[in-house]
Amino acid sequence: MNTKLFTDALSALLGQFTPGNLGSRLFMERSELETPENFLVWFHERFHYLQVVFTPYGHLKWASYRTSTADIVEAWANLSLMLNQPRKLPIKEYLLNDTPESVKLAYNIWIHDLKNDIYKIVEQGVTSYGNMSLFAGLTYETCCPKVMLHGQEHRMRGIDILESFAKFEEAMLGEIITGKTLDDLIDPNKLNPEYYSALYYFLETLGPERLIEFPIVCELALATAHIPSPSSVENFQKYAPNWRFIKLVEKLKSIENLPAIDYNDNTSYFDYANTVLLACGFETLEEAWVAAEEYAEMSDLTMAEEMKAAIEYKKKHPWMLSYPMCNEDDFFSAEFNRFEPYFTIMDDGISYNSAHVRSEELIVENHLQALSQQICGYTSRYCRDSFKLMCGFSYMGTNTCPHHLTGECDGYVDAETQLPELILDEASNIKSGCTLELLLKSHNIDIKSIDVGIMRLVKYDEITNAAKKHFTA
C-alpha cells in the first residue's frame, strides 16, 4: 500500500505527526496521558509541530505542500474540462486511457506532485517515483552525508535531525517529570538510529561538555532561507538540514570566542546563532525568515495568521524551541501553549486546537489534501475501499463529520452513494450535507460524476514511456 501522506509522517511506536496537515495521532486513550511516559509521547509529537511553526524550514515545507495541493486540484479540475476528458482519479486511469490528451493531463498533474519529492529526498534520501535522475547530480550519497557513529558508518538524513532534536527535548522534559537521566531516556538499544544519531555524532565530535549547544545547532540546521534546490548539489547541501547540521558541528570545532549562552538574555541567542551561521556561510536568522514571512502575508486565511503569530512569538522568545523549559512562566503560559497540532486523533476520540484557526478552514484543507492525494494515487492508511473516493474526514481518520457520527455516511463516495442533502443558507453557508460535495461544486464538479479507479501511483518510467509514445517523432 502506498501511503505518501503517512509515509511522510514523523512516526514512533505510540505517536505520529503529519507535517502536511499539522495533525498528530496518539495510539492511546485520553486517560492514558496521565502517565509520565505517555505525556512525553504527546510532548514529542507537539514538538514536531513546533519544529514546523518555529523554523523557516518548517514554514517553507508547509508553504510548498499547500501550494502543490492547490495546484494538483486546480489542474485536475480545469484540465479535464479543457481537454474534454471525464474527471478520473487516480491519474493512472488517464494513462490507461492511452490517448495524447489523457497522457498530457496525467503528466501535468504528476509534475505538480513532483515538487513534493524534494522533501522526501531531504528527509529520507529517496523519492516516491524512483526519479532521482530528474534532480541534477543528486544521489543517495550526495543527499545523505556519511558520518561515523561508534566506529560504524551512518548516512545522516534530514529525519535524523528532526527526530534526534525532538527526542532530546522529550528527554529533557523527562528528566524533570520522571527523574531519569538522559542516558536512560535516550537508549540506543531501544531506539531506531534517527532518534539518537545527530546527538551521538555531536557528542563524539565536540564532547559532552558542549551538550548545551546541541539543540541550538539542531535549530540552526532548520533555519533555512530557501527550499533545498535540486538544481545543483551545492545548493541542495547548503539548505538541506542534515548537511547544515554536519557543517555547523564541524565549524564549531574551530570557532573561538563564541558568545555566551544565557537563557535569560534573548540577545545572547541571536549573537550566538548569527555568529555560527555566518561562520558557515549561511544566512542570518533575520534573512532566513524572509521567505516564510512573505508566504504567510500572501493569504488572509486564519492558518496563515497563526503561522505569522508563531514567527512573531519565536522572534520575541528565541529560546522556546531549543530550550522551551528554560523559563517556567513561558513554558506554562497561554501564549506558548496556543501552538499545538491542529488536531490530535486518539483511540477514544479527537480533539481540535482551533481557538485561532477557523474549523471551516481545517475541514476544507483536509478535503483538499485528501482529494489531491487520491488524484495522485496515494492511499490513506484508513482506507477500507480502494475503489471509492474518500472525503477529508475519512481519509485523515478524523471522522468528525456529523453525518458520519449519525451513520448517514461512512465517508466513501461513488456514483451509487446516497449523500446527505446539501442545504445552504441565504449566504451560501452550509447548514447540512456533504462539505466535500460543496467544495467540488465550487469547481463545477458533480461528486458522483468522478470516475474512481483503484488507488495506485504512476511510476516515473510509466509517465515517461507514455510521453515518448505520443509526443516524440
Side-chain angles (χ1 to χ4, degrees), residues 1-9 18-19 65 68-69 72 112-117 119-120 128-129 369 372-373 376-381 395 457:
M1 180 184 295
N2 294 303
T3 55
K4 174 198 174 192
L5 184 64
F6 295 94
T7 301
D8 284 352
T18 310
Y65 189 80
S68 65
T69 293
I72 289 166
H112 285 303
D113 187 44
L114 184 63
K115 69 183 71 172
N116 291 320
D117 266 21
Y119 288 101
K120 297 187 189 70
S128 297
Y129 305 101
Q369 290 190 21
S372 169
Q373 293 290 310
C376 294
Y378 298 105
T379 308
S380 165
R381 67 176 296 143
Y395 194 92
L457 293 173

Side-chain angles (χ1 to χ4, degrees), residues 223-251:
T224 55
H226 302 286
I227 294 171
S229 172
S231 60
S232 71
V233 172
E234 181 181 12
N235 182 283
F236 179 90
Q237 293 179 351
K238 181 176 181 179
Y239 295 112
N242 50 341
W243 278 100
R244 288 171 62 89
F245 180 84
I246 298 297
K247 187 168 185 177
L248 286 160
V249 172
E250 291 299 318
K251 183 61 68 173

Side-chain angles (χ1 to χ4, degrees), residues 4 45 55 61 63 134 144 168 186 193 206 266 274 277 291 299 303 322 326 334 337 363 385 392 399 450 461:
K4 174 198 174 192
E45 304 313 326
T55 71
K61 183 177 179 181
L134 290 176
C144 304
F168 179 80
I186 303 180
L206 297 176
N266 290 337
N274 287 330
L277 289 170
S299 172
M303 285 187 294
S322 294
C326 66
N337 284 287
I363 292 171
D385 189 341
N399 292 329
I450 299 171
D461 57 353

Side-chain angles (χ1 to χ4, degrees), residues 78-332:
N78 296 328
L79 291 174
S80 294
L81 183 62
M82 291 169 59
L83 298 175
N84 196 29
Q85 291 278 323
R87 290 184 180 87
K88 301 179 180 182
L89 61 84
I91 58 173
K92 181 69 173 278
E93 298 298 310
Y94 290 114
L95 285 188
L96 295 176
N97 199 32
D98 198 29
T99 66
E101 292 78 14
S102 61
V103 170
K104 183 185 295 184
L105 196 154
Y107 178 81
N108 274 286
I109 295 172
W110 179 83
I111 206 71
H112 285 303
D113 187 44
L114 184 63
K115 69 183 71 172
N116 291 320
D117 266 21
I118 191 63
Y119 288 101
K120 297 187 189 70
I121 296 171
V122 169
E123 294 176 11
Q124 301 291 350
V126 296
T127 70
S128 297
Y129 305 101
N131 55 8
M132 193 74 93
S133 60
L134 290 176
F135 301 111
L138 295 186
T139 63
Y140 182 74
E141 289 72 24
T142 58
C143 293
C144 304
K146 181 170 63 177
V147 299
M148 300 300 293
L149 291 179
H150 295 313
Q152 300 291 322
E153 289 186 358
H154 175 76
R155 288 284 178 181
M156 191 78 77
R157 302 166 298 159
I159 193 71
D160 292 59
I161 312 306
L162 294 167
E163 288 292 7
S164 292
F165 190 9
K167 191 65 181 180
F168 179 80
E169 299 295 339
E170 174 195 335
M172 284 203 300
L173 181 60
E175 285 186 316
I176 296 172
I177 65 177
T178 69
K180 295 181 179 179
T181 67
L182 196 66
D183 288 336
D184 293 330
L185 295 163
I186 303 180
D187 185 350
N189 296 316
K190 299 178 181 179
L191 298 171
N192 291 332
E194 61 263 29
Y195 292 97
Y196 62 83
S197 53
L199 174 62
Y200 274 51
Y201 171 75
F202 180 95
L203 294 174
E204 290 184 18
T205 304
L206 297 176
E209 66 275 5
R210 298 188 68 172
L211 180 62
I212 189 174
E213 297 169 81
F214 171 71
I216 308 175
V217 173
C218 287
E219 181 174 341
L220 297 184
L222 300 172
T224 55
H226 302 286
I227 294 171
S229 172
S231 60
S232 71
V233 172
E234 181 181 12
N235 182 283
F236 179 90
Q237 293 179 351
K238 181 176 181 179
Y239 295 112
N242 50 341
W243 278 100
R244 288 171 62 89
F245 180 84
I246 298 297
K247 187 168 185 177
L248 286 160
V249 172
E250 291 299 318
K251 183 61 68 173
L252 282 172
K253 291 193 296 186
S254 59
I255 300 178
E256 297 180 357
N257 302 318
L258 276 170
I261 294 173
D262 182 353
Y263 310 129
N264 298 308
D265 178 15
N266 290 337
T267 301
S268 73
Y269 175 86
F270 294 109
D271 289 344
Y272 176 92
N274 287 330
T275 296
V276 179
L277 289 170
L278 289 171
C280 292
F282 298 149
E283 288 88 349
T284 64
L285 290 175
E286 294 79 6
E287 294 168 329
W289 276 115
V290 171
E293 291 174 307
E294 289 177 348
Y295 181 83
E297 289 290 346
M298 292 169 60
S299 172
D300 59 358
L301 294 174
T302 57
M303 285 187 294
E305 292 299 320
E306 186 69 353
M307 298 300 272
K308 286 191 288 186
I311 296 173
E312 182 179 355
Y313 179 86
K314 182 61 173 62
K315 286 185 173 182
K316 291 180 179 178
H317 302 81
W319 291 108
M320 293 305 287
L321 188 63
S322 294
Y323 282 98
M325 284 79 71
C326 66
N327 185 305
E328 185 175 336
D329 290 339
D330 286 338
F331 184 69
F332 290 106

Side-chain angles (χ1 to χ4, degrees), residues 48 104 142 352 404 418 452:
H48 282 313
K104 183 185 295 184
T142 58
Y352 282 92
H404 174 83
Q418 295 298 312
V452 182

